[in-house]
Amino acid sequence: MEKIIEIIGKTPLKDFIPQKYTNRLKILNLSSGEYFHYSEKELNSTFFLIEGMIQIKQTTQDGVDLNYILLDNFNVVGEKKLLFGKEGGVDFYTIRDKTKILEIPLDIGIKLIKNDKFKIFLLKLHCEKLHKFVWDISILHFKGVKKFLAHNILTYSTDDKFRFKNMSFLSEILSIDRKSLYSAVKKLEEKKLIIRENKIIKILDRKKLEEYIKI
Amino acid sequence: MEKIIEIIGKTPLKDFIPQKYTNRLKILNLSSGEYFHYSEKELNSTFFLIEGMIQIKQTTQDGVDLNYILLDNFNVVGEKKLLFGKEGGVDFYTIRDKTKILEIPLDIGIKLIKNDKFKIFLLKLHCEKLHKFVWDISILHFKGVKKFLAHNILTYSTDDKFRFKNMSFLSEILSIDRKSLYSAVKKLEEKKLIIRENKIIKILDRKKLEEYIKI
């Protein structure tokens, strides 16, 4: 098993976490679909995504669902509590197998955040996530479901292949109802931009798909 | 005329701007509808809203319009260039008479941002704006135009009165087309939540209007 200190060493966290704390940190190795925090629980950790893919589901005080997806990029969830004192009701769960997460207990997070450099680092990660969310929801709202789907296929594909567990799972993580999702996939197929083969959507022409979102 | 140093003294900026820079700063006293930055121009300043109301219109690289409104609260625009190196194409304009803005030239901004405390302060203001935008667009997208209008009336009213120049101006600043706006106002009137009298929308029952958004 890889040691925590080696895992941290490969991330930007290496500049901020003193060695004396490493024995208090945890590595979570999770499969797809595992909740590592749910809204009914008190949030007592900050989680750094090392590998894999996770989703945040946030329900605001009056029941508006906000979803955003984080890819296999290094990122953080639960940091709002450290930065702004509260996180709100949030679920964190994995949406890819072999997801690796570093869990930092709240009391250590509180110590780390006293370092202004770490606070700036965390604020910038938080902004990065918000910029991404603003961009995603703007495409969904102003351009509609088909272009939002196209945008997600482009963002989350590897070698022009976008893999997903099944259509209802895809519908859930993109917050698109199944009927609209089926219809959007069909429309993109008709336009010869993609082709769906069971649990894989293949991009037929990446350039054309990018152009399609812009129109 | 109020001195710049007195104006700064009433804002959180007083902890960050050394006196030696104050003669390089400008106060803009603007009427409603004035552009103090437009997207075709190079952005060479950071602007702090001291009094009044301004709007940002942001057009992303592929033409998605994003709007957000800032009220008479102290806030900042143009800070993205200082924080993240670029701002993108943005228009900044006033939407209320007697709007007072503090303009800080870019070279001074660059000096100020070297202070980590100021950087944290600016990042937090930036996050505050993004949280507000995420919340606004989530209401618009997930709850629809009528509830979005109700939300804006609640947010920007004084003494239960929401004043606006005219309907087409309101349509523009809320990014709602005129037909939908008229229809939304009518619906809220029918529900006896508001009443429109020319350029004023009066809230008839604040509690009920708040409840209406939550359903």
Side-chain angles (χ1 to χ4, degrees), chain A residues 161-178:
Chain A
K161 287 189 187 97
F162 176 81
R163 290 162 206 278
F164 54 97
K165 223 195 251 176
N166 54 52
M167 286 293 267
S168 60
F169 188 73
L170 190 59
S171 152
E172 201 205 318
I173 63 171
L174 297 184
S175 303
I176 306 175
D177 67 276
R178 276 171 74 170

Side-chain angles (χ1 to χ4, degrees), chain B residues 19-197:
Chain B
Q19 208 168 330
K20 60 179 174 182
Y21 294 140
T22 47
N23 67 335
R24 292 277 321 280
L25 312 183
K26 254 191 261 175
I27 295 291
L28 314 177
N29 287 296
L30 305 173
S31 307
S32 175
E34 290 196 62
Y35 279 71
F36 54 98
H37 174 71
Y38 44 90
S39 46
E40 290 76 14
K41 229 179 99 184
E42 175 94 17
L43 184 65
N44 283 321
S45 302
T46 312
F47 302 94
F48 287 88
L49 175 66
I50 307 293
E51 253 177 63
M53 196 169 181
I54 57 175
Q55 190 178 41
I56 303 169
K57 185 173 271 179
Q58 185 174 15
T59 308
T60 59
Q61 65 270 37
D62 67 350
V64 178
D65 265 353
L66 308 173
N67 285 289
Y68 35 110
I69 296 167
L70 307 173
L71 183 63
D72 39 11
N73 292 324
F74 175 79
N75 218 313
V76 61
V77 289
E79 79 289 1
K80 230 175 144 179
K81 183 149 180 178
L82 279 182
L83 290 171
F84 302 99
K86 57 175 182 176
E87 181 72 45
V90 279
D91 294 325
F92 301 145
Y93 53 96
T94 56
I95 54 172
R96 197 177 275 174
D97 280 336
K98 292 185 189 168
T99 291
K100 196 189 284 291
I101 287 158
L102 175 72
E103 180 175 355
I104 299 186
L106 190 61
D107 64 308
I108 294 185
I110 291 170
K111 278 175 193 148
L112 294 177
I113 201 98
K114 286 182 183 149
N115 171 2
D116 283 344
K117 297 287 182 206
F118 181 69
K119 190 182 263 182
I120 290 168
F121 166 75
L122 213 56
L123 277 164
K124 287 197 163 185
L125 272 182
H126 181 70
C127 288
E128 212 179 89
K129 238 168 40 169
L130 287 171
H131 293 158
K132 183 181 174 328
F133 179 70
V134 163
W135 179 228
D136 284 357
I137 196 170
S138 297
I139 292 180
L140 177 60
H141 182 74
F142 294 106
K143 303 211 162 194
V145 168
K146 292 196 289 287
K147 297 196 175 183
F148 180 64
L149 175 65
H151 163 68
N152 278 285
I153 292 172
L154 281 167
T155 309
Y156 300 114
S157 58
T158 314
D159 294 330
D160 284 349
K161 287 188 187 98
F162 177 81
R163 292 163 205 277
F164 55 97
K165 220 194 253 176
N166 54 52
M167 286 293 267
S168 61
F169 188 73
L170 190 59
S171 152
E172 201 205 317
I173 62 171
L174 297 184
S175 304
I176 306 175
D177 67 276
R178 278 171 73 168
K179 210 180 139 193
S180 310
L181 179 63
Y182 274 101
S183 144
V185 170
K186 219 180 135 202
K187 273 271 154 52
L188 298 184
E189 282 189 320
E190 281 167 16
K191 287 180 187 296
K192 308 239 182 288
L193 296 169
I194 60 160
I195 187 162
R196 185 187 155 205
E197 287 168 1

